[in-house]
Amino acid sequence: MISSLLIANRGEIAVRVMRTARRMGIRTIAVYSEADAGAMHVAEADEAVCVGPPSPTESYLNMEAVLGAARDSGAEAIHPGYGFLSENAAFAEACQEAGIIFVGPSAASIRAMGDKAAAKAAMEGAGVPLVPGYHGDDQTPKVLAGEAKKIGFPVLIKASAGGGGRGMRIVRDAVEFTDALASAKREAKGAFGDDRVIIEKYLERPRHIEVQMFGDTQGNVVHLFERDCSLQRRYQKVIEEAPAPGMSDARRAEIGAAAIAAAKSIDYVGAGTVEFIVDAAAGGADGPFYFMEMNTRLQVEHPVTELITGTDLVEWQLRVASGERLPLNQERITQTGHAVEARLYAEDPSRDFLPAAGRLVHLQWPAGDGIRIDTGVRNGDSIAVEYDPLIAKMIAHGPDRETALHRLHAAMCELQLVGPITNQAFLADALAHPAFIEGEIDTNFIAEHRSALLPTEASMSNANILAALAFLLEERGHSQVLRGGDAHSPWNITDSWRPNLPARDRVELQYGDTDISVDLMNDGRGWQANLSNGDSSLPVGQLPEGVAVYRDGHTLILTDGPRQQRLTHIVPLEQADRGEGAGGGLSAPMPGKVVQALVAAGDSVIRGQTVMILEAMKMEHAISAPADGVVADVFFNAGDQVDEGVELLRLAKDSE
Ligand code: ADP
Ligand code: ADP
Ligand code: MG
């Protein structure tokens, strides 16, 4: 057995791999970027080596730096986790050349499956069913358009080198094809340095069902059943479960056998996942299934498989990498009960799941029967903009599906997380949705049930405003109102509160686009608030039961369970700034890189027109014009790095 392991990753997966390694008595070595010096995975490791600046290409993706860290620390093996270098054949080779064990398949297996076009060609040969489509070498737009027509619309364009749902475009008819192709190719080029695409028939009611594989160096290959990952947004998994609801044992055996054939055809060693797309319109989970791709690594959602099979897949990986036989043969792999995982992300479901970042101001994980939390952050840590916005995977196991869903829902409601905007409430609602509970799922679920799952813009109640005011008073140490006021509050703004004078002042708050100004007065018996919305003389008392208020900079976050409302506390000095930005300026919603400026000074634009494309947190974001007008100035070009809030371009009002 290997005795030391470097984990070439960060976040929850680094922490999770270390947990098993430690249990097996293996020395663990973390690598980290300068942004992660204080991260949980660094604290948990026996040793840690800095591999470079925050940018992933300079740190976690920097092969030389990672290999150098392995050499310097005397690591016998490297576990790549998922993402980053995990599916990089050149890295697997470089490890071998350096005499370090790569915990994963051979470079040849990675290559065989790393490219969607090559993988489909190989699977065709192995007799694994494929989605009708084109995966040829000829990439001339005309040829691709012709192939799309032959396949029949709608089609799906996919980046051949793609992953993580990037570079995919649905095309519903021939006229859209050229534009969609160009944009898919541009995204693929930027994300993977390779703009080749494949085209597939787009299935309208698909389920994503994948099979967990394992191979060893003795030539044994087994499967550990399937996972259903049909709940997705933007082609990325959000909720995963095992077994697949509604799948018959006969079909389970068939899809397992197809996955084994796929893995055997490339002499697969280690953990891998064969992803299938199932045409659920014709038979639910038992509908026709087609090979989609194989991920030659440990998958994000591997815990659901671990929970139903009672295995530790990281332990299996480390044993196989050490040359041992698979711990169990196919007959001895059994499943018990049902498991479900939800990916808790820092993202805003109501803004099309726009990734968010920020500090975890308050964090308390739930506990309970059958609950497992895999995370890489602790209270006070930050979700950084440079990396994936995954905060944690919350997983529940139970004797049956209903119990597992119920347990995860309860845990989701119990989770106390304050800080960046998250999908917590969205996940809680999805887990309790009657259609989901009934198992009526396909990959359109989230889009179709959007209105039920997205938080309706709740108006700010007076009760919540009063809670915010109580918090502000308490923060200022006005303990005549609230006991337990914090005298060491971070309050450092010059204001007109003076002890021993008639206490009155004005507080400016903002909720969404609504300004709320409050006149506060202390009549000697307590504080009264006059609200600009007309309600007068409301008493400001203690914080209402069940509501908590937290401050993150100038944002006051009110929370009652999984739901949060945010009030901006406007400080007079900053108001000037705020007014200025509102002119005709468009600012970056988050730090990122400009992919393309689609307009130039002097261009006329219409409301909603995309004027710039920004890449941030591994995704492209379209910046659109808020109103008709003329572009006065464009401040950034393709390739420029921008900070959050920075003005990207300026519009002049339409000159009539
Ligand atoms: P899984 O298939 O294991 O559920 P995802 O497809 O969501 O995982 O991808 C796992 C992680 O790896 C995500 O953070 C995703 O952004 C990243 N990822 C996937 N494929 C690639 C790739 N080819 N290059 C870089 N990152 C990738
Ligand atoms: P990635 O490498 O980004 O994971 P996949 O090929 O695995 O790409 O596809 C990701 C997701 O896109 C699938 O889980 C599925 O929801 C959707 N998808 C892929 N192929 C098709 C298809 N032919 N028809 C409909 N949806 C598809
Ligand atoms: Mg996939």
Side-chain angles (χ1 to χ4, degrees):
M1 176 58 56
I2 55 173
S3 61
S4 55
L5 179 71
L6 180 141
I7 297 92
N9 216 301
R10 64 182 302 282
E12 67 87 16
I13 193 61
V15 172
R16 189 261 165 276
V17 170
M18 283 178 209
R19 192 173 60 224
T20 293
R22 202 177 312 115
R23 181 173 58 70
M24 294 172 72
I26 299 171
R27 181 167 66 97
T28 56
I29 301 125
V31 292
Y32 63 95
S33 73
E34 284 158 15
D36 277 340
M40 182 175 179
H41 77 278
V42 174
E44 300 254 308
D46 295 320
E47 276 167 51
V49 183
C50 181
V51 286
S55 156
T57 44
E58 294 178 80
S59 51
Y60 297 105
L61 286 167
N62 181 342
M63 293 196 226
E64 269 106 80
V66 171
L67 283 169
R71 264 191 304 265
D72 293 348
S73 60
E76 234 180 303
I78 296 183
H79 193 303
Y82 56 73
F84 294 131
L85 297 169
S86 62
E87 291 179 283
N88 187 316
F91 182 67
E93 255 158 17
C95 287
Q96 199 182 11
E97 276 155 27
I100 296 166
I101 297 171
F102 175 76
V103 181
S106 67
S109 298
I110 297 176
R111 257 189 206 111
M113 290 296 183
D115 183 86
K116 286 187 170 45
K120 289 184 82 173
M123 290 306 105
E124 211 163 18
V128 180
L130 300 183
V131 198
Y134 173 79
H135 48 267
D137 289 334
D138 196 335
Q139 294 284 309
T140 16
K142 214 186 208 147
V143 170
L144 293 172
E147 292 293 338
K149 211 168 281 172
K150 253 191 265 170
I151 296 162
F153 292 98
V155 299
L156 185 63
I157 303 175
K158 288 185 184 176
S160 208
R166 303 196 60 178
M168 292 212 262
R169 299 287 183 281
I170 303 171
V171 188
R172 298 217 167 256
D173 64 66
V175 291
E176 294 171 10
F177 189 82
T178 315
D179 279 359
L181 180 66
S183 103
K185 278 187 173 287
R186 192 189 57 234
E187 190 176 345
K189 183 84 193 167
F192 314 109
D194 178 344
D195 71 353
R196 287 170 308 123
V197 297
I198 61 170
I199 304 171
E200 287 180 2
K201 176 84 198 155
Y202 178 72
L203 302 181
E204 297 278 5
R205 293 259 151 228
R207 271 166 72 171
H208 174 121
I209 299 182
E210 58 186 33
V211 179
Q212 176 67 54
M213 308 298 314
F214 239 102
D216 64 21
T217 48
Q218 281 92 62
N220 302 301
V221 179
V222 298
H223 72 79
L224 291 97
F225 308 108
E226 80 286 357
R227 294 183 286 258
D228 193 319
C229 314
S230 297
L231 257 67
Q232 304 184 345
R233 51 116 182 80
R234 292 212 275 232
Y235 310 117
Q236 283 185 294
K237 301 156 187 171
V238 180
I239 295 178
E240 304 104 338
E241 58 183 313
M247 183 178 272
S248 67
D249 285 342
R251 175 47 57 89
R252 180 163 294 121
E254 264 176 86
I255 202 168
I260 287 182
K264 279 199 164 152
S265 74
I266 55 160
D267 300 320
Y268 200 77
V269 172
T273 295
V274 183
E275 295 190 334
F276 294 96
I277 190 146
V278 174
D279 192 351
D286 280 358
F289 64 87
Y290 308 102
F291 171 85
M292 212 163 27
E293 65 162 346
M294 179 166 183
N295 292 326
T296 54
R297 54 172 162 90
L298 191 68
Q299 205 97 337
V300 174
E301 58 277 18
H302 74 278
V304 294
T305 301
E306 295 186 318
L307 291 178
I308 61 159
T309 57
T311 53
D312 179 335
L313 296 182
V314 173
E315 178 181 342
W316 283 39
Q317 286 189 297
L318 297 175
R319 291 195 180 285
V320 166
S322 305
E324 292 183 21
R325 279 181 71 94
L326 287 174
L328 297 175
N329 57 26
Q330 191 69 65
E331 297 71 52
R332 296 191 42 214
I333 300 170
T334 55
Q335 51 178 346
T336 312
H338 198 97
V340 57
E341 168 183 289
R343 300 188 189 191
L344 182 69
Y345 282 110
E347 64 180 19
D348 187 351
S350 63
R351 291 167 74 197
D352 199 20
F353 305 97
L354 187 73
R359 201 170 65 87
L360 296 156
V361 179
H362 171 75
L363 178 62
Q364 195 178 320
W365 297 112
D369 276 351
I371 295 296
R372 165 172 164 181
I373 310 284
D374 281 17
T375 188
V377 291
R378 301 148 301 185
N379 203 355
D381 286 351
S382 287
I383 304 300
V385 293
E386 289 89 356
Y387 313 111
D388 204 275
L390 183 69
I391 299 171
K393 302 183 312 205
M394 295 175 59
I395 315 117
H397 185 226
D400 50 47
R401 186 170 187 267
E402 200 188 333
T403 311
L405 293 188
H406 181 77
R407 284 178 173 173
L408 192 55
H409 177 256
M412 201 56 75
C413 294
E414 205 184 305
L415 165 67
Q416 296 177 23
L417 189 162
V418 183
I421 296 174
T422 75
N423 62 347
Q424 180 187 358
F426 175 85
L427 291 173
D429 287 351
L431 290 164
H433 195 286
F436 181 57
I437 290 170
E438 283 305 309
E440 291 162 11
I441 46 174
D442 60 51
T443 59
N444 301 311
F445 184 92
I446 287 176
E448 272 167 15
H449 296 283
R450 215 184 160 76
S451 53
L453 299 175
L454 291 183
T456 40
E457 257 317 305
S459 57
M460 178 61 69
S461 67
N462 281 347
N464 272 358
I465 294 172
L466 292 173
L469 294 170
F471 175 84
L472 289 176
L473 289 170
E474 181 178 281
E475 202 177 50
R476 294 172 175 206
H478 286 275
S479 50
Q480 72 269 38
V481 180
L482 297 162
R483 267 158 291 132
D486 179 7
H488 308 286
S489 79
W491 191 257
N492 51 10
I493 293 150
T494 6
D495 62 22
S496 53
W497 297 90
R498 284 180 211 97
N500 310 321
L501 283 177
R504 53 164 62 235
D505 206 349
R506 171 167 270 242
V507 172
E508 300 283 351
L509 301 167
Q510 195 183 20
Y511 176 63
D513 295 332
T514 314
D515 290 314
I516 305 164
S517 38
V518 186
D519 285 316
L520 276 168
M521 186 149 90
N522 192 332
D523 60 6
R525 281 163 300 166
W527 291 92
Q528 303 289 325
N530 289 328
L531 269 48
S532 57
N533 63 9
D535 289 300
S536 59
S537 287
L538 298 167
V540 184
Q542 307 238 10
L543 289 181
E545 190 72 27
V547 175
V549 185
Y550 297 85
R551 169 190 285 287
D552 187 16
H554 292 304
T555 306
L556 300 179
I557 308 167
L558 291 93
T559 150
D560 53 350
R563 255 156 249 287
Q564 296 180 6
Q565 285 188 307
R566 282 153 194 277
L567 280 168
T568 308
H569 183 206
I570 309 285
V571 181
L573 273 178
E574 292 177 356
Q575 243 161 350
D577 285 356
R578 206 167 57 97
E580 215 170 56
L586 273 179
S587 54
M590 54 177 31
K593 196 173 84 182
V594 175
V595 175
Q596 201 178 6
L598 297 163
V599 293
D603 289 356
S604 298
V605 294
I606 55 164
R607 182 165 179 263
Q609 180 179 340
T610 302
V611 291
M612 192 175 270
I613 296 170
L614 203 65
E615 184 189 285
M617 299 183 95
K618 297 186 170 183
M619 284 181 45
E620 284 194 358
H621 305 280
I623 308 291
S624 46
D628 294 357
V630 175
V631 178
D633 226 334
V634 179
F635 301 117
F636 294 96
N637 294 311
D640 290 346
Q641 208 70 38
V642 295
D643 286 332
E644 178 175 352
V646 153
E647 194 172 3
L648 299 170
L649 42 83
R650 180 170 285 269
L651 297 181
K653 285 268 153 49
D654 232 344
S655 46
E656 279 106 71

